[in-house]
Amino acid sequence: MGRNPVTWLGSPAFPTAARTALADDQLRRNLNHATGLIRNKRAGAVAELPDWEQLRLSGEAIKDEVLANLDTYLLRFEESVTARGGVVHWAADAAEANEIVLRLAREAGADEVVKIKSMATMEIGLNEALEAGGVKPIETDLAELIVQLGDDRPSHILVPAIHKNRTEIRDIFRTTMPGTEDLTNEPVELAAAARAFLRRKFLSAKVAVSGANFGVASTGSVVIVESEGNGRMCLTLPETLITVMGIEKLVPSWQDLEVFLQLLPRSSTAERMNPYTSIWSGVTPGDGPQNFHLVLVDNGRTDTLASTVGRQALRCIRCSACLNVCPVYERTGGQAYGSVYPGPIGAILTPQLAGDMHDKHAASLPFASSLCGACFEVCPVRIDIPSVLVHLRSEAVAAKPRYSPEAIGMAAMSWVMAGPRRFHVAQRLATAGRLLARGGKIRRLPFPGSKWTDSRDLPAPAKESFSAWWKRTRG
Amino acid sequence: MPGGSGPVADSAAKDVILGRIRTALGNRPAARPIPREYQRSRPFPSVLDLFAERVADYRAIVHRVDDPVAMVRSLLAGKRIAVPPDLPAEWLVPEVTWLHEPLSNADLDGCDGVLTGCAAGIAETGTIVLDGGVAQGRRVITLLPDYHLCVVRADQIAGTVPEALERLEPTRPLTFISGPSATSDIELDRVEGVHGPRTLEVLIVNG
């Protein structure tokens, strides 16, 4: 098995990438504008529903039920899809999934496929695999198209081009779309340009590739939630539809959708309902694709399921509300996380899917947080992201070599704290540390303390320890 | 052959995945009942008024009429309009050039619009649901034309999302439409008019 493409090859650890991102003023302005706007709108959309907390509790419980009986629900889903004329495929990892999609596209005689934005296909690196196999993937979601035409990487779960403002988008279109020399930076015009550019592609495509927002185990129904209508085009026009779906995307029954169709739009785009939701079950004769393939992908999900603390990350419905409220994400942007899943959910999902805490980049992600808890408050399925972050931090530290600065520090601490005399001496020494402080903060410590102060300030130790004060005033 | 050797070749992966799930879950946690304390319906003063208001909120054009025929005539006269095969005959007024199925994608792409009924409406979210049933046709006919005129009867409108889903048949091809096609992809602000119909007009027929 090769490396898991959920992390981008060669990504630096988060502190290094964050430093680069923070130096980009334009990026910070774009993110500040976009996340500020959506934060306020989401709060309004959520406040409209008096039973929001009850919906969250149900969403959490429904997803937990699926995870606790995932094998049963997957088999039921496979049976339902098959009974309605779909073909179900299983892929243990990214390479297997890519191979299946490429083979199916070739069998359908396609040299290009139109694609609906899908986190699963981004996660497995499907576009690269298709291109290597001679099949051209065409992204049809506006933000994905911007990323693809700009030869860029995504930076947000919902809006992969959130790091680009309208003028930057216009410039990408002008250089890559024929006949757009006079395009302005008005969003309406930019959307119209994409409409004209893609219409021909939709009408000629033989194969579409999609992800899935939800799969209903009891009926075999697949749900795609979207805004632009590019999803409807892909789900309706081509003869063959290939849907790539993470194994955790199921809900048990049709009734469960009534919870998620309320939670998802308000959490993601802050709308009462997104413009278009398509739901289909297998093949409908005379309407839409007559060949339907569904590829169920594991790619690290079963490893994540094995962690009793970490498995709640699999409840995620990819709304991106946690990104929009995260003070760290707002400042660094998504690309600093080095994965298709950025922000708070990325910080817990990416390292678990990658499954290798010896990878310095993956192991750095759980530390990309101040543990402020805003992500948990907005999460529509109540993922306790801060707790999972803390759990993964301990795993990251445990995976480090014995003589890491943390390990040495902890060993020294336990020696010091083992005897009261040692402890008092250490306290007096710490007080002497005030000599290093300026304005109440220590900005730079000598090695190994520099490993801490490289990315954080340290408050100056108090003038006097509590026990010295106690002795002086009461003793 | 579509599908080819797929399922057979992937069956090894299926066993691997199911095996990993069973190992991961070890001693399976006891089933917890799913709490459903949320409101399945709400006491809206008028479901009809709310539907009209919320559909308009997403920049669809809304008319409330007692009889749709006169409005169909005044909105569509002189235009070339695609229709599903089973539209009520009285809607097909002679002032309009009606394009009947079977229609090619080129026909649909080139016409002035489409007229349909619907399967349900959702007042709280301003949503219309199509299910390919009576007066709705194939999914593509409401997708390629740039203009969609949709007739919604008062008795088709549900108050909330749960009430609407209850009325729908899950295995039909369903399309939920809330306003004209839009995107939030430029600076996370909503802009109307991308791939789907850029104009959505809704006739609500008072009950």
Side-chain angles (χ1 to χ4, degrees):
Chain A
M1 201 179 93
R3 66 180 290 283
N4 190 327
V6 67
T7 56
W8 298 331
L9 191 63
S11 293
F14 184 79
T16 310
R19 196 166 290 129
T20 314
L22 287 171
D24 185 340
D25 292 344
Q26 182 67 56
L27 174 73
R28 290 176 68 183
R29 270 197 301 276
N30 294 353
L31 283 168
N32 183 275
H33 171 74
T35 56
L37 194 73
I38 197 74
R39 269 201 302 275
N40 292 331
K41 280 169 68 179
R42 190 208 74 96
V46 164
E48 245 184 39
L49 293 190
D51 54 349
W52 184 252
E53 289 310 315
Q54 286 74 29
L55 286 165
R56 287 178 79 209
L57 287 164
S58 292
E60 172 188 19
I62 292 166
K63 281 293 187 179
D64 277 352
E65 164 64 22
V66 168
L67 294 175
N69 297 289
L70 190 54
D71 46 351
T72 310
Y73 286 118
L74 281 168
L75 290 170
R76 191 172 299 166
F77 182 62
E78 180 187 41
E79 196 183 327
S80 316
V81 171
T82 309
R84 304 202 48 87
V87 182
V88 176
H89 309 258
W90 300 68
D93 59 26
E96 284 185 16
N98 290 335
E99 208 180 286
I100 293 167
V101 178
L102 179 62
R103 173 168 53 77
L104 294 171
R106 281 180 176 156
E107 279 174 8
D111 53 9
E112 55 180 42
V113 299
V114 285
K115 281 192 69 208
I116 309 180
K117 185 177 103 63
S118 132
M119 297 308 296
T121 64
M122 274 198 263
E123 171 195 320
I124 61 176
L126 176 65
N127 285 6
E128 293 76 7
L130 287 176
E131 270 171 63
V135 174
K136 191 178 169 200
I138 297 162
E139 293 292 352
T140 65
D141 168 75
L142 182 53
E144 279 279 35
L145 180 69
I146 293 163
V147 168
Q148 192 176 42
L149 293 178
D151 198 17
D152 199 355
R153 274 176 162 165
S155 70
H156 191 273
I157 288 176
L158 175 71
V159 187
I162 195 173
H163 56 292
K164 297 287 183 199
N165 66 25
R166 59 186 71 188
T167 307
E168 294 168 296
I169 294 167
R170 179 205 60 192
D171 293 343
I172 290 169
F173 280 11
R174 276 189 182 174
T175 49
T176 54
M177 276 183 195
T180 57
E181 297 76 14
D182 302 324
L183 198 61
T184 74
N185 67 358
E186 273 305 306
V188 177
E189 268 200 44
L190 295 170
R195 177 185 169 99
F197 178 73
L198 288 172
R199 177 72 49 139
R200 282 174 295 120
K201 304 282 184 193
F202 287 131
L203 289 171
S204 63
K206 288 183 185 155
V207 174
V209 176
S210 83
N213 289 102
F214 306 101
V216 182
S218 61
T219 61
S221 314
V222 182
V223 183
I224 289 274
V225 172
E226 56 135 352
S227 296
E228 297 168 12
N230 64 308
R232 291 180 68 193
M233 292 279 177
C234 292
L235 300 174
T236 310
L237 292 171
E239 266 302 291
T240 299
L241 171 62
I242 306 168
T243 296
V244 179
M245 176 172 159
I247 54 173
E248 83 286 20
K249 297 260 108 184
L250 296 178
V251 298
S253 72
W254 174 250
Q255 198 201 350
D256 298 319
L257 283 182
E258 72 189 22
V259 174
F260 294 100
L261 289 182
Q262 296 189 75
L263 288 173
L264 180 55
R266 291 178 196 258
S267 298
S268 62
T269 49
E271 292 165 305
R272 295 186 184 113
M273 193 64 95
N274 48 290
Y276 299 131
T277 296
S278 295
I279 305 179
W280 73 97
S281 311
V283 171
T284 307
D287 185 353
Q290 296 302 297
N291 306 307
F292 172 49
H293 295 274
L294 193 128
V295 186
L296 291 167
V297 183
D298 178 348
N299 200 39
R301 285 159 177 76
T302 46
D303 288 343
T304 309
L305 187 65
S307 161
T308 48
V309 181
R311 67 168 63 132
Q312 56 183 305
L314 297 175
R315 294 205 291 257
C316 177
I317 56 173
R318 313 285 189 260
C319 73
S320 71
C322 64
L323 277 61
N324 300 331
V325 298
C326 177
V328 175
Y329 176 87
E330 185 181 350
R331 284 160 183 81
T332 65
Q335 292 180 347
Y337 294 78
S339 164
V340 21
Y341 301 114
I345 186 62
I348 62 169
L349 193 57
T350 303
Q352 294 196 90
L353 291 179
D356 181 10
M357 279 301 189
H358 297 285
D359 174 338
K360 279 190 176 160
H361 162 237
S364 74
L365 293 174
F367 296 88
S369 167
S370 65
L371 301 181
C372 77
C375 46
F376 171 60
E377 279 173 39
V378 297
C379 178
V381 287
R382 295 172 44 89
I383 302 170
D384 184 355
I385 295 177
S387 294
V388 183
L389 284 168
V390 170
H391 163 74
L392 292 174
R393 285 178 184 189
S394 72
E395 289 208 333
V397 172
K400 285 195 174 184
R402 255 182 89 192
Y403 300 109
S404 69
E406 285 96 334
I408 293 168
M410 288 299 164
M413 183 77 91
S414 81
W415 181 80
V416 164
M417 294 181 98
R421 281 199 49 163
R422 291 174 198 165
F423 187 63
H424 287 304
V425 172
Q427 278 185 324
R428 282 203 298 279
L429 285 173
T431 303
R434 287 176 63 80
L435 296 172
L436 293 168
R438 299 276 179 277
K441 287 198 174 97
I442 298 174
R443 297 187 197 282
R444 194 173 289 267
L445 277 176
F447 184 84
S450 61
K451 297 298 268 184
W452 178 272
T453 54
D454 270 355
S455 51
R456 312 166 183 84
D457 294 335
L458 196 65
K463 268 186 210 148
E464 192 175 24
S465 71
F466 175 76
S467 61
W469 172 83
W470 184 264
K471 209 180 251 176
R472 182 166 62 78
T473 57
R474 311 284 157 92
Chain B
M1 175 187 134
S5 56
V8 181
D10 316 327
S11 69
K14 177 176 171 178
D15 294 341
V16 168
I17 293 170
L18 292 174
R20 285 179 186 165
I21 290 170
R22 285 161 190 157
T23 309
L25 290 171
N27 290 326
R28 220 168 275 244
R32 273 197 309 152
I34 292 169
R36 294 192 191 269
E37 307 289 315
Y38 54 88
Q39 303 170 353
R40 298 185 47 84
S41 70
R42 294 191 222 281
F44 299 124
S46 162
V47 167
L48 213 61
D49 288 349
L50 184 66
F51 179 74
E53 176 202 316
R54 296 276 159 99
V55 172
D57 230 24
Y58 282 145
R59 311 220 186 133
I61 305 161
V62 177
H63 308 272
R64 295 181 63 169
V65 294
D66 292 321
D67 173 18
V69 175
M71 187 58 89
V72 165
R73 183 182 292 114
S74 84
L75 290 173
L76 302 182
K79 296 192 168 143
R80 298 171 65 252
I81 300 295
V83 284
D86 46 5
L87 221 50
E90 66 272 19
W91 295 5
L92 300 175
V93 294
E95 292 83 353
V96 181
T97 307
W98 301 107
L99 308 176
H100 296 277
E101 289 268 44
L103 293 163
S104 69
N105 290 344
D107 294 336
L108 291 166
D109 199 25
C111 72
D112 293 324
V114 58
L115 169 65
T116 69
C118 71
I122 312 174
E124 185 165 59
T125 57
T127 304
I128 291 160
V129 187
L130 307 180
D131 72 353
V134 175
Q136 298 159 68
R138 299 181 295 146
R139 284 173 284 175
V140 71
I141 72 164
T142 52
L143 179 59
L144 288 176
D146 205 9
Y147 170 87
H148 182 190
L149 178 60
C150 186
V151 180
V152 184
R153 292 195 321 266
D155 66 294
Q156 291 180 310
I157 302 169
T160 62
V161 172
E163 287 172 320
L165 290 200
E166 218 172 67
R167 298 182 179 199
L168 296 168
E169 169 56 53
T171 51
R172 299 189 70 92
L174 299 168
T175 307
F176 292 57
I177 300 174
S178 309
S181 116
T183 181
S184 300
D185 281 359
I186 300 163
E187 301 176 6
L188 267 176
D189 204 0
R190 181 165 164 140
V191 178
E192 276 81 17
V194 198
H195 301 293
R198 285 182 283 195
T199 308
L200 174 66
E201 201 152 6
V202 179
L203 299 190
I204 304 171
V205 185
N206 298 319

